[in-house]
């Protein structure tokens, strides 16, 4: 995966009132990407697959108007966003159902206002340490070259007494963040999976080796490091492949004293997601056979299909043991 360059940029005229908006316009003008000034995004395509592909190459530069932060269990206390959607085409992506028919990318440029909402929230909830997730509806890394907003965000939290930042990525372009003054207040997480899963389902993302190398750089830059293993899937040879993945991370990081957090998420889907995935990826090999699953009530008011109890327990036990064996200071934050 090289730097992300969209095919079309639509710019809300109001975005140009902000320094980051003007910076983004100059960035794309320099690259020769067409920019349409408008507050409406039009995407055309005669099939769900074409609409999806075109959306993933369209960026809307606009404002984040959210004034209230939503909870973000289990990964953090609250969530906020610097962008939504991402250039990736991961077939299983949990955002398939939340971003509508046209999941075009939105990049928000009113950074200081976003920080004000976070600061107000912390002032109103005078608790000790509060964690904030900024990748629950996006992957923030591909947009960093155009905005520089994530670095500003890391430094905002670096100065915060009670706020702590968490984000996760499937991309490796992290160099511009390595000298950020994070002050140990940011957890830099990488989403990883077995090679067959990445190759088969995670299109337009960085390779596993690129992600692990980026994780090494983040750890060397003093960030707290985390890995999200998601979605964990059962398939022929899954145990061997997950063992290989854990060993690969261990060997490449070359430092078994690191305090690394692991989050473990088994593969799940809803009925709506299954229909959308099969319309966008008609040849998908994703295992969405309901007979191998059981229903679980989800926090967003929908049933989801997860692995059967004994299968899910086997995943949890097997992968937890691998982590405990190979990362003496590793901690498993949750399995879901
Ligand atoms: Fe979804 Fe993350 Fe893949 Fe983007 S990189 S499509 S957010 S799973």
């Amino acid at each position: 995966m090289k730097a992300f360059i969209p095919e079309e940029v639509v710019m809300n005229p109001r975005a140009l009132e902000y320094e980051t908006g003007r910076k983004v316009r100059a960035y794309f003008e320099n690259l020769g990407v067409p920019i349409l000034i408008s507050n409406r995004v039009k995407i055309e395509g005669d099939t769900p697959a074409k609409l999806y592909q075109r959306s993933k190459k369209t960026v809307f530069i606009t404002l984040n108007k959210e004034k209230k932060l939503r909870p973000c269990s289990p990964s953090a206390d609250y969530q906020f966003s610097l962008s939504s959607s991402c250039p990736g085409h991961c077939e299983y992506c949990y955002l398939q159902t939340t971003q509508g028919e046209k999941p075009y990318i939105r990049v928000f440029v009113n950074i200081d206002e976003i920080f004000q909402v976070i600061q107000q929230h912390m002032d109103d909830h005078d608790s000790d340490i509060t964690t904030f997730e900024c990748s629950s509806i996006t992957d923030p890394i591909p947009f960093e070259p155009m905005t520089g907003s994530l670095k500003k965000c890391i430094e905002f939290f670096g100065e915060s007494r009670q706020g702590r930042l968490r984000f996760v990525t499937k991309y490796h372009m992290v160099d511009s963040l390595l000298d950020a003054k994070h002050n140990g207040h940011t957890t830099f997480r990488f989403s990883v999976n077995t090679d067959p899963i990445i190759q088969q389902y995670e299109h337009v993302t960085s390779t596993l080796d690129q992600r692990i190398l980026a994780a090494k750089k983040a750890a060397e830059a003093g960030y707290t490091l985390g890995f999200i293993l998601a979605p964990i899937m059962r398939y022929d040879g899954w145990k061997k492949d997950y063992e290989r993945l854990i060993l690969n991370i261990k060997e490449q990081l070359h430092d078994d004293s690191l305090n690394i957090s692991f989050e473990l998420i088994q593969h799940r889907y809803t009925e709506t997601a299954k229909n959308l995935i099969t319309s966008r990826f008609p040849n998908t090999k994703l295992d969405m056979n309901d007979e191998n699953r059981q229903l679980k009530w989800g926090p967003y008011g929908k049933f989801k299909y997860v692995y059967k109890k004994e299968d899910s327990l086997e995943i949890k036990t097997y992968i937890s043991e691998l982590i405990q064996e190979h990362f003496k200071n590793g901690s498993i934050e949750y399995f879901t």
Side-chain angles (χ1 to χ4, degrees):
M1 168 84 192
K2 296 195 192 115
F4 167 59
I5 301 179
E7 281 177 0
E8 188 178 358
V9 172
V10 181
M11 185 159 252
N12 181 338
R14 287 210 48 212
L16 290 168
E17 294 167 16
Y18 295 80
E19 189 194 333
T20 307
R22 293 188 291 273
K23 179 178 166 178
V24 173
R25 179 172 66 177
Y27 177 87
F28 286 122
E29 276 172 353
N30 231 358
L31 287 172
V33 178
I35 302 174
L36 176 71
I37 308 288
S38 169
N39 51 18
R40 284 200 57 217
V41 180
K42 257 210 224 151
I43 294 176
E44 286 172 4
D46 50 8
T47 64
K50 281 189 193 147
L51 275 177
Y52 177 80
Q53 282 156 19
R54 196 146 295 162
S55 299
K56 289 282 189 166
K57 289 181 182 150
T58 303
V59 174
F60 184 37
I61 309 297
T62 188
L63 312 182
N64 181 343
K65 302 260 188 58
E66 265 185 354
K67 295 276 180 263
K68 264 188 165 295
L69 301 182
R70 280 168 294 131
C72 191
S73 172
S75 84
D77 296 320
Y78 293 94
Q79 56 181 294
F80 68 96
S81 323
L82 302 173
S83 50
S84 73
S85 190
C86 82
H89 294 204
C90 301
E91 295 185 19
Y92 57 72
C93 180
Y94 63 101
L95 299 177
Q96 298 277 9
T97 50
T98 55
Q99 302 194 318
E101 266 182 7
K102 302 168 194 171
Y104 59 82
I105 294 160
R106 290 182 300 159
V107 171
F108 306 123
V109 295
N110 54 332
I111 306 306
D112 292 332
E113 289 165 9
I114 296 172
F115 294 163
Q116 274 166 22
V117 172
I118 297 166
Q119 189 56 52
Q120 189 63 52
H121 181 96
M122 290 193 282
D123 295 345
D124 292 347
H125 301 73
D126 192 19
S127 53
D128 276 348
I129 296 296
T130 310
T131 52
F132 295 86
E133 170 73 70
C134 83
S135 46
S136 54
I137 60 164
T138 188
D139 188 313
I141 294 289
F143 315 117
E144 196 51 11
M146 58 187 91
T147 63
S149 298
L150 186 57
K151 184 171 188 181
K152 281 192 190 149
C153 193
I154 289 169
E155 297 193 334
F156 167 80
F157 280 96
E159 287 179 3
S160 174
R161 179 184 61 80
Q162 66 183 117
R164 298 292 180 268
L165 178 65
R166 295 165 69 77
F167 59 85
V168 61
T169 184
K170 281 184 166 67
Y171 294 92
H172 69 283
M173 304 78 108
V174 301
D175 288 3
S176 67
L177 305 175
L178 299 180
D179 65 352
K181 296 179 193 69
H182 58 74
N183 202 17
H185 292 182
T186 290
T187 304
F188 207 138
R189 292 127 79 222
F190 290 83
S191 168
V192 289
N193 220 318
T194 66
D195 255 329
I197 290 178
I198 291 179
Q199 279 169 31
Q200 194 151 22
Y201 305 119
E202 297 184 358
H203 318 291
V204 200
T205 62
S206 297
T207 65
L208 177 61
D209 281 347
Q210 287 176 320
R211 294 180 211 176
I212 301 178
L213 183 63
K216 189 168 164 31
K217 289 183 189 173
E220 285 167 358
Y223 283 100
T224 307
L225 187 61
F227 288 99
I228 299 190
L229 269 65
I232 302 171
M233 295 184 196
R234 297 172 66 94
Y235 57 91
D236 280 349
W238 69 275
K239 284 191 172 175
K240 232 14 302 84
D241 286 349
Y242 279 102
E243 183 182 20
R244 215 169 276 144
L245 169 65
I246 295 294
L247 285 172
N248 192 352
I249 297 173
K250 180 183 174 176
E251 277 156 23
Q252 293 203 50
L253 287 184
H254 241 309
D255 182 354
D256 62 4
S257 65
L258 289 171
N259 293 313
I260 302 176
S261 63
F262 290 88
E263 293 152 82
L264 310 179
I265 304 174
Q266 63 168 304
H267 180 234
R268 76 272 316 281
Y269 57 88
T270 60
E271 199 58 46
T272 320
K274 182 174 168 174
N275 293 335
L276 256 179
I277 292 167
T278 45
S279 69
R280 288 174 175 171
F281 302 95
N283 301 318
T284 187
K285 299 262 184 325
L286 266 181
D287 175 14
M288 293 185 286
N289 181 354
D290 302 349
E291 283 176 13
N292 299 331
R293 305 292 179 122
Q294 70 178 42
L295 283 169
K296 185 176 171 186
W297 183 245
Y300 301 106
K302 285 207 169 119
F303 275 110
K304 54 193 171 187
Y305 289 91
V306 295
Y307 284 110
K308 289 191 171 151
K309 203 169 172 194
E310 58 278 16
D311 290 342
S312 128
L313 187 63
E314 190 184 25
I315 295 174
K316 180 182 177 187
T317 311
Y318 178 69
I319 295 191
S320 302
E321 283 173 3
L322 278 177
I323 290 168
Q324 281 150 6
E325 184 186 340
H326 294 289
F327 293 93
K328 64 175 191 244
N329 294 325
S331 59
I332 297 166
E333 294 193 347
Y334 58 84
F335 170 84
T336 180

